[in-house]
Structure formats: C-alpha cells, structure tokens
Amino acid sequence: MAFAIMREEGVEKVTMRRLANELDTGPASIYVYVQNTAELHGALLDELLFGLVLPAEGADAQWRERLIELLESYTSLLFRYPSLARSVLTLRPSGANYLRLIETVLQLLQVGGVTGRRAAWGVDLLLQHATAMAAEQGTRSEEGDLDDGPQLQVMAIREADAEGYPGIDQVRDELFSGTGEQRMRWAFDAIIEGVAAVEPAA
Amino acid sequence: MAFAIMREEGVEKVTMRRLANELDTGPASIYVYVQNTAELHGALLDELLFGLVLPAEGADAQWRERLIELLESYTSLLFRYPSLARSVLTLRPSGANYLRLIETVLQLLQVGGVTGRRAAWGVDLLLQHATAMAAEQGTRSEEGDLDDGPQLQVMAIREADAEGYPGIDQVRDELFSGTGEQRMRWAFDAIIEGVAAVEPAA
DNA sequence: ACCTGAACACCGTTCAAGT
DNA sequence: ACCTGAACACCGTTCAAGT
C-alpha cells in the first residue's frame, strides 16, 4: 500500500495521515505498527534497497570501479526519492538490506587493502555522501528549474567581482562545469582515495 | 525577530505562521518579503554566517590545518541549528556571507596548490559534507538519546553474524570508535587529501 | 487486548478583499 | 499599491473511549 503511493506520487506523500486514509482508518492506527514517521521511512528505504543490484564478483583489481558503481546505484536509487533521501540522512537505517549494503562496501574496501578504522569510518563517509547528494540534487529537479528564475547562487557567483573574490575569479567557470554524473564519479573517487590514504590519528 | 526565536527556540520554530504571529499579522504578510520557506531559511543562514570566524593569516604551509579549522567552525555553527542544516543542504545559499565562505575555502585550497577544477569541485564537496554532517549528527542530539532505546543500527551491527557478514565482523568495534570530533577531523582530512590527489577525468 | 475517533497543536501557500 | 483575513489543504502525535 505504502509502496503504491511511493511509486505513484513519491515518498513525500506517504504520510501517517495519507496512509491511514488509504487503509480506511484514522492516523492513530498506524502507530500500532511503527513508533513514528522516521521508523516508517526506515521501512520504506529497506524495501527499496531490496532492489539494489550488488556488484557481480570480479577481479580484485577492479574493486574500486565496482565500489564506485555500487555507490552510484545506491545514489540513483535515492535520486528517485529525494525526500526519502532527506529522512535517511538523519536515520541511521538498520534494516537487513541496508546492513547488506554496508557489508558489501566494507568487503570491497577490504579487497582494496583498506582495512580497520579507515574502512569502518570510510563506509560511513561514503554512504553519507551518497545520501547527501541525493537529498541535495534530488530536490532541485523535484521543484521546477524554471520558475525559480536562474539560480540565485549561480548569479551571485557569476557576479562576484575579481578584486573582492580572487579565489572565485580564478575558477569561476569550473564551479559550474561538468555533468552531475561526472561530478558524482569524481567525488566518490576522491573520497575513496582519501579514505585509503589517510590514517586516522591514534 | 526571527533571530530571537531562532536563538531561543531553534530554527525549526521560525515558521511562516509563527513569525507572522510574532509580528501580529497573518502568514500572508511574510510572503511580501520572501518567496517561500527556503528563501527564509537562506536569509537566516547568512545572518548566522556573519558570526563565522575566518582563519587568521598564517604560514602557507599550514593551509590544510587552517582549512580544516574553518570547516570545523562552519560545521559546529550549523550543529547548533540542525534543522537549518537540513534546509541548507537543499538550498545552494547565495548570501554575501556564504559567498565569503566559498571564497575563503577556495583561497586556502589554492594556497595548497589545489587549483582549477579540483578546487572548484572540491569546495562543493567539502561544504556539502560539512552541512550533511550537521544535518545528520545534529538531529540525533536534538531528539532524546534515551527514549529511542539503544540505537537500532548499532544493535543490528553488533548482532550481525560473522559468517553472513565477514566484512562487518572484521571491523565491528571500529564502526563505533572515536569521538564525533575525531571522526569529523579525519573525514575532512581524507576528503581534502582526495580532492588534492584525484584529477577529474577530462 | 487491540484498535481508533476525535482532538490538539500545528504547517505552507493562495487569493479575494480591504485600506 | 500595498497588505492581510480567511480559507484550502494538509501535517504528526496523543489519549480517552469503544469493540
């Protein structure tokens, strides 16, 4: 039921009240099954993750490519549900399918020689970045790109004068360069690089 | 007015209706000054950023330390207003003070020899991470840490069996190790490392 | 014991009408 | 021209009361 609404109208419509209505009862009844809205969203995420394609086995040398692909799949899955991404960001999901995702990321990191604390803290960082990107980017396309007028930030940056903002001036065009996909790929690549390279201080 | 509410009761209370009420008028009146809630939050962020302490000038060799400090200041400023952080994540702020923050981060990166596309895309990645962390971590302390019961995710990970989840098993304790501050520092360090090292594909 | 109607305390946004 | 009362269309959560 919840999934039908989610598919057809987006997660943002899966509210306690809406769900209750669909089930011909009052909102109080939903509270018999979940504690609060966060828990409801957690359940929806895990259902969605059931459809996440985990990377096929492959040569160990390609761990990094496979990891990036996995993170991209996860991100694009959340992209379709920006408001779910926004709740997931503050959720610490605990469902079986999310656990599987953590496990797979960890295994790929370990194959790549990233172990111990760097791997443990790295999973967190990578999954958090994926979620944040979906929460961020997703909303922008959800709302109309047209009626906002040309994005205010873009305008402000384009107009920042070279004397007051020399740093911006030097990379002005690069700030808006690349497709979303290129930037996403690079971001994952850079984070993985850093996670692999930087040993946390003891 | 808005800032008084923000200081005393949190940004989440600075709603169109609440603000209107405080000004002894109806909610419609606020729409004369801002287009929507997102714009209202954008204005609040910029006001807050006015108080952000930019790093003092220093030896070029310390650019990295100074960058991390700046990002930590920004994060802890947002930490105090988790729900603002959540809107900022989907906001692309455009206020003067936010522009100043972008400029400062860019300058520090450039001092460190990170230029062009890596610097441009790097600012985005670093500021987005700061915001996401505040949005994420902040909420957890906003709600009671006690009544949720012990965090569900922590429980699920502690109980993941070693056969089904060998990756998790190998770093089980590290997944929860470190203080928030240590993990934040490491995350910024790792991202900066990656941003500096990974050249985007042409 | 299990479920829920109805209420409480809110939201954002719009628009016709008033000054 | 500028502002706003009142309405529309919603929210999450609780609790007394019903089956």
Side-chain angles (χ1 to χ4, degrees), chain A residues 15-17 28 31 37:
Chain A
T15 63
M16 294 296 201
R17 276 165 177 281
Y31 285 81
T37 307

Side-chain angles (χ1 to χ4, degrees), chain B residues 15 37 46 54 77 82 86 88 90-91 106 115 129-130 132 137 143 146-147 160 166 170 176 180 183-184 186 192 201:
Chain B
T15 65
T37 308
D46 220 70
L54 297 182
L77 185 139
R86 253 164 292 152
V88 171
T90 67
L91 208 65
L106 268 175
T115 56
H129 176 68
Q137 258 286 8
E143 294 154 13
L146 300 160
D147 44 352
Q170 245 177 74
F176 312 113
R183 291 176 81 125
M184 167 161 75
W186 171 81
I192 293 170

Side-chain angles (χ1 to χ4, degrees), chain B:
Chain B
M1 193 77 267
F3 306 115
I5 302 176
M6 188 163 72
R7 252 193 315 279
E8 283 149 36
E9 306 181 54
V11 216
E12 54 273 50
K13 295 288 179 184
V14 187
T15 65
M16 295 294 200
R17 278 165 175 280
R18 176 64 193 282
L19 200 51
N21 217 283
E22 217 78 21
L23 297 164
D24 279 312
T25 180
S29 310
I30 312 293
Y31 284 81
V32 177
Y33 306 101
V34 293
Q35 291 260 307
N36 49 42
T37 308
E39 208 172 294
L40 177 61
H41 287 165
L44 293 173
L45 172 71
D46 220 70
E47 194 62 29
L48 217 53
L49 284 181
F50 182 74
L52 182 68
V53 182
L54 297 182
E57 293 291 311
D60 279 7
Q62 270 131 34
W63 69 275
R64 194 158 170 157
E65 197 47 44
R66 269 151 58 220
L67 177 51
I68 291 178
E69 256 163 48
L70 173 60
L71 292 166
E72 283 180 343
S73 306
Y74 176 55
T75 307
S76 59
L77 185 139
L78 284 179
F79 248 77
R80 268 174 279 147
Y81 303 100
S83 44
L84 183 61
R86 253 164 292 152
S87 349
V88 171
L89 202 63
T90 67
L91 208 65
R92 299 271 151 189
S94 61
N97 292 316
Y98 194 82
L99 214 63
R100 200 85 246 167
L101 174 60
I102 293 179
E103 171 67 18
T104 312
V105 173
L106 268 175
Q107 279 181 21
L108 286 168
L109 284 172
Q110 285 162 355
V111 162
V114 183
T115 56
R117 184 165 288 196
R118 280 173 308 144
W121 293 11
V123 197
D124 227 59
L125 183 51
L126 287 166
L127 292 180
Q128 194 239 39
H129 176 68
T131 312
M133 250 185 16
E136 184 190 17
Q137 258 286 8
T139 338
R140 239 176 299 292
S141 53
E142 203 170 55
E143 294 154 13
D145 293 329
L146 300 160
D147 44 352
D148 305 343
Q151 285 205 12
L152 286 176
Q153 188 183 74
V154 178
M155 272 175 50
I157 288 175
R158 284 213 192 291
E159 280 160 24
D161 62 294
E163 296 87 59
Y165 300 91
I168 289 176
D169 190 53
Q170 245 177 74
V171 294
R172 204 183 294 269
D173 291 328
E174 293 291 9
L175 284 166
F176 312 113
S177 68
T179 64
E181 190 131 357
Q182 288 169 330
R183 291 176 81 125
M184 167 161 75
R185 198 156 249 284
W186 171 81
F188 282 132
D189 211 4
I191 297 175
I192 293 170
E193 179 73 22
V195 165
V198 179
E199 192 66 52

Side-chain angles (χ1 to χ4, degrees), chain A residues 153 157-158 167-178 183, chain B residues 92 102 106 116-117 119-124:
Chain A
Q153 188 183 73
I157 288 176
R158 284 215 192 288
I168 289 177
D169 190 53
Q170 245 177 70
V171 294
R172 207 183 291 270
D173 292 328
E174 293 290 9
L175 285 165
F176 311 114
S177 68
R183 291 175 81 124
Chain B
R92 299 271 151 189
I102 293 179
L106 268 175
R117 184 165 288 196
W121 293 11
V123 197
D124 227 59

Side-chain angles (χ1 to χ4, degrees), chain A residues 2-128:
Chain A
F3 306 114
I5 302 176
M6 186 163 73
R7 253 193 314 279
E8 283 148 37
E9 307 181 54
V11 216
E12 53 272 51
K13 295 287 179 183
V14 187
T15 63
M16 294 296 201
R17 276 165 177 281
R18 176 66 194 282
L19 200 52
N21 218 281
E22 218 77 21
L23 296 165
D24 281 311
T25 180
S29 309
I30 313 293
Y31 285 81
V32 176
Y33 306 100
V34 294
Q35 291 259 307
N36 51 40
T37 307
E39 208 173 295
L40 177 61
H41 287 166
L44 292 174
L45 172 71
D46 220 70
E47 194 63 29
L48 217 54
L49 284 181
F50 183 72
L52 181 69
V53 182
L54 298 182
E57 294 291 312
D60 278 8
Q62 270 130 35
W63 68 274
R64 195 157 168 161
E65 198 47 45
R66 271 152 58 219
L67 176 53
I68 291 179
E69 256 163 49
L70 173 61
L71 292 166
E72 283 180 344
S73 307
Y74 176 55
T75 308
S76 56
L77 184 140
L78 283 180
F79 247 76
R80 269 174 277 148
Y81 302 101
S83 43
L84 183 60
R86 253 164 293 152
S87 348
V88 171
L89 202 64
T90 65
L91 208 65
R92 298 272 150 190
S94 62
N97 292 317
Y98 194 83
L99 214 62
R100 200 85 245 166
L101 173 60
I102 292 179
E103 171 67 20
T104 312
V105 173
L106 268 176
Q107 278 181 21
L108 286 167
L109 284 172
Q110 284 161 355
V111 161
V114 183
T115 56
R117 183 165 289 196
R118 280 174 307 143
W121 292 12
V123 197
D124 227 58
L125 183 50
L126 288 165
L127 293 179
Q128 194 239 38

